[in-house]
Amino acid sequence: MTDELLNERYALAIERIRQIPAEKSVPQPYRDFFAQMAQYLCKMDQIRSRIAEGYLKTASEEELAVFNREPYEDVIGEWYETSYGNPAFAVRALGETHGRSLCCLYRELGNAVVWVYEDRLLELTAAMELYLELYAMFEEKTLPSAQYVKESIYWYVSDYAEERQEYQVREIVDPSLHFVKDIVMESDLTDLRYLYQYGEYITENEKGTARFLNTFSQEEIDAMARTYTEGFRKCFLVARKDLSKKKTVSIRFHIGFERMIRAAILQFREMGLEPVISSGARRTWVAGASANKQYDYDHRSDEALYLNEDLVKRRLRAMQVKYDEYKELADGYAGPAVVETFGEVPFEPVNKKQALHLNERQQKLRVGFQNEAGQIVNRYIKDDEYGYTIIAYPMPEIDPRYEKFL
């Protein structure tokens, strides 16, 4: 698809979405839901425009903290109790027939903040078009059936399976993905405004980590990074694997550790490895804070709405095709180098009956998918040529004496 066509699709979608908050063609209680989602998507469009205008570079740290919080406000703290992203509230407010499906849509649209910051216009546009498709259904004189709504979400997921799979493969093996790497390598890391360039939710944990690392000398930072990178090199040495045949390494870290990661990138390059750094699955590879861990937990099984055999087969076919397309990059992939964190305040999730849950058949499908996906990956990233390293550091909330632990 050409950029011109994609920009045209986006322009048409956002133009229509801007009209929706003032309309009354959808009956209550669904009108409020669709109006709120339209307002959110309009906010994402505004954020996209401000980023393009350079706001992340010119705003103060205080202004950026407010800017960073805005996309997450609806799920923070007490606000989550009356958020359509909360399945308990969504089912109570929207009913058993459509509450779970629309709550799932809420979560999918919530990914817009990541797509906006990373300028992934296809994903953003596709989600907006799904929203408009469902909105049009609820404008009809007769409300859509639960199955009809689920099928629309299913086809959205299925239709873009190849594009999503391609991006997921590239996130592992393709060093040309530069969004995160540019932040790490080109920012003034003494100016904590850089933390807000990711679009991830930023708290005192991330700021405290970055602030503390800025008290270290460059020699100390290099030593921290050397422990990490040497751990990766020695993994190959001990296992008698040939690192010289490899070209890339996947770096995974928590936001705030950029000074160390910058040093590690330079050290890996000395080994002949170009880092691949991507945001990956939300808050798993390059991670900020969670605005609400219960919200994340509530949506852990949203695919229960649409997961079936056909979708599993399509995803596996797409994975095979994309790994074959990127087989040279996959062959040069050495493995992950992971910076783990610990010390966060413990989280005890509430298991809500209103949240989506995989049934027994879907659980078997997920396990089967994971097994077959693992076999596909192993054909392109061979176990006997693969390595990894993991190092762990505490987060500031572990203790007021945090600086003594690091």
Side-chain angles (χ1 to χ4, degrees):
M1 180 183 302
T2 65
D3 289 344
E4 182 180 1
L5 178 57
L6 184 56
N7 281 313
E8 182 180 343
R9 281 175 56 187
Y10 177 82
L12 289 171
I14 194 62
E15 180 181 6
R16 177 70 186 100
I17 288 168
R18 290 190 186 112
Q19 300 167 359
I20 289 174
E23 294 179 351
K24 297 182 179 179
S25 54
V26 168
Q28 294 291 17
Y30 310 108
R31 185 190 307 162
D32 286 344
F33 169 81
F34 282 104
Q36 188 176 122
M37 291 298 93
Q39 290 165 351
Y40 173 79
L41 291 171
C42 289
K43 172 62 72 175
M44 291 302 100
D45 179 62
Q46 293 166 8
I47 288 174
R48 183 170 180 261
S49 296
R50 297 187 77 179
I51 291 173
E53 293 166 359
Y55 184 76
L56 296 179
K57 302 289 188 180
T58 60
S60 68
E61 186 175 339
E62 292 74 17
E63 289 170 328
L64 290 174
V66 174
F67 192 67
N68 174 259
R69 184 184 174 93
E70 286 181 354
Y72 301 98
E73 282 182 334
D74 195 42
V75 300
I76 297 174
E78 294 180 357
W79 290 104
Y80 188 55
E81 295 306 310
T82 54
S83 167
Y84 289 114
N86 180 346
F89 176 77
V91 170
R92 185 167 71 248
L94 302 173
E96 289 283 345
T97 302
H98 295 301
R100 291 176 179 82
S101 297
L102 295 180
C103 186
C104 178
L105 174 64
Y106 178 104
R107 174 66 169 192
E108 184 65 17
L109 296 179
N111 291 322
V113 62
V114 175
W115 300 328
V116 163
Y117 273 78
E118 297 187 15
D119 196 25
R120 289 160 57 181
L121 191 58
L122 176 61
E123 290 98 322
L124 178 60
T125 303
M128 290 166 61
E129 290 171 343
L130 170 65
Y131 163 84
L132 289 171
E133 179 183 342
L134 293 177
Y135 179 74
M137 288 183 191
F138 282 83
E139 283 188 299
E140 297 293 332
K141 292 181 179 179
T142 302
L143 288 174
S145 66
Q147 186 61 31
Y148 196 26
V149 172
K150 290 178 182 180
E151 286 177 358
S152 293
I153 296 175
Y154 167 82
W155 285 113
Y156 158 77
V157 174
S158 180
D159 288 347
Y160 289 96
E162 284 79 8
E163 288 82 359
R164 291 197 174 191
Q165 189 57 60
E166 178 173 17
Y167 197 82
Q168 288 169 12
V169 172
R170 292 184 64 206
E171 284 182 312
I172 297 172
V173 302
D174 188 355
S176 72
L177 293 179
H178 56 83
F179 173 73
V180 174
K181 198 155 38 176
D182 285 352
I183 295 173
V184 174
M185 298 306 292
E186 298 177 10
S187 300
D188 176 1
L189 300 182
T190 66
D191 181 350
L192 297 194
R193 293 185 302 164
Y194 83 84
L195 294 169
Y196 298 101
Q197 293 183 40
Y198 295 98
E200 291 286 349
Y201 189 60
I202 301 300
T203 68
E204 189 55 39
N205 262 339
E206 292 70 43
K207 291 187 287 186
T209 300
R211 193 180 299 120
F212 182 47
L213 287 184
N214 278 335
T215 68
F216 285 33
S217 68
Q218 189 57 49
E219 290 74 17
E220 290 170 320
I221 291 292
D222 289 341
M224 284 178 64
R226 188 71 64 188
T227 301
Y228 169 61
T229 59
E230 278 295 292
F232 189 80
R233 187 184 67 82
K234 288 179 180 178
C235 171
F236 279 80
L237 186 64
V238 170
R240 298 183 179 181
K241 298 178 181 180
D242 187 359
L243 183 59
S244 67
K245 294 172 20 178
K246 297 300 180 181
K247 298 179 180 179
T248 59
V249 55
S250 174
I251 292 181
R252 306 175 188 183
F253 69 98
H254 194 97
I255 293 171
F257 283 90
E258 285 77 11
R259 276 200 73 198
M260 173 188 159
I261 297 303
R262 177 184 287 182
I265 287 174
L266 298 175
Q267 292 171 15
F268 276 128
R269 285 174 174 168
E270 289 174 358
M271 297 181 194
L273 298 173
E274 180 60 29
V276 180
I277 317 179
S278 176
S279 57
R282 195 176 180 89
R283 285 186 294 277
T284 56
W285 290 3
V286 174
S290 170
N292 188 324
K293 292 180 180 179
Q294 182 64 48
Y295 170 56
D296 296 333
Y297 185 82
D298 286 341
H299 289 272
R300 71 196 184 283
S301 298
D302 274 4
E303 65 177 356
L305 189 71
Y306 49 77
L307 186 65
N308 62 23
E309 273 188 28
D310 288 342
L311 182 59
V312 166
K313 290 177 181 177
R314 182 161 191 174
R315 284 173 167 172
L316 289 170
R317 285 196 301 269
M319 177 179 285
Q320 175 65 55
V321 168
K322 294 307 175 182
Y323 263 105
D324 196 61
E325 184 177 337
Y326 291 94
K327 60 185 177 183
E328 290 186 14
L329 289 176
D331 187 57
Y333 175 63
V338 182
V339 179
E340 292 276 12
T341 59
F342 62 91
E344 294 92 341
V345 173
F347 165 62
E348 296 184 8
V350 176
N351 194 20
K352 298 175 183 176
K353 64 180 182 180
Q354 299 92 341
L356 288 161
H357 297 87
L358 296 172
N359 59 35
E360 185 176 351
R361 180 170 167 275
Q362 289 176 319
Q363 290 173 10
K364 290 180 180 178
L365 284 173
R366 177 186 274 183
V367 171
F369 171 80
Q370 291 169 341
N371 288 338
E372 292 194 42
Q375 292 175 30
I376 292 172
V377 173
N378 288 339
R379 286 199 287 273
Y380 293 91
I381 302 174
K382 300 176 177 61
D383 283 343
D384 59 353
E385 299 178 0
Y386 181 90
Y388 68 92
T389 191
I390 299 175
I391 194 168
Y393 291 107
M395 297 296 280
E397 67 184 6
I398 190 173
D399 191 277
R401 300 164 295 172
Y402 156 74
E403 297 183 2
K404 296 182 180 179
F405 287 91
L406 193 59

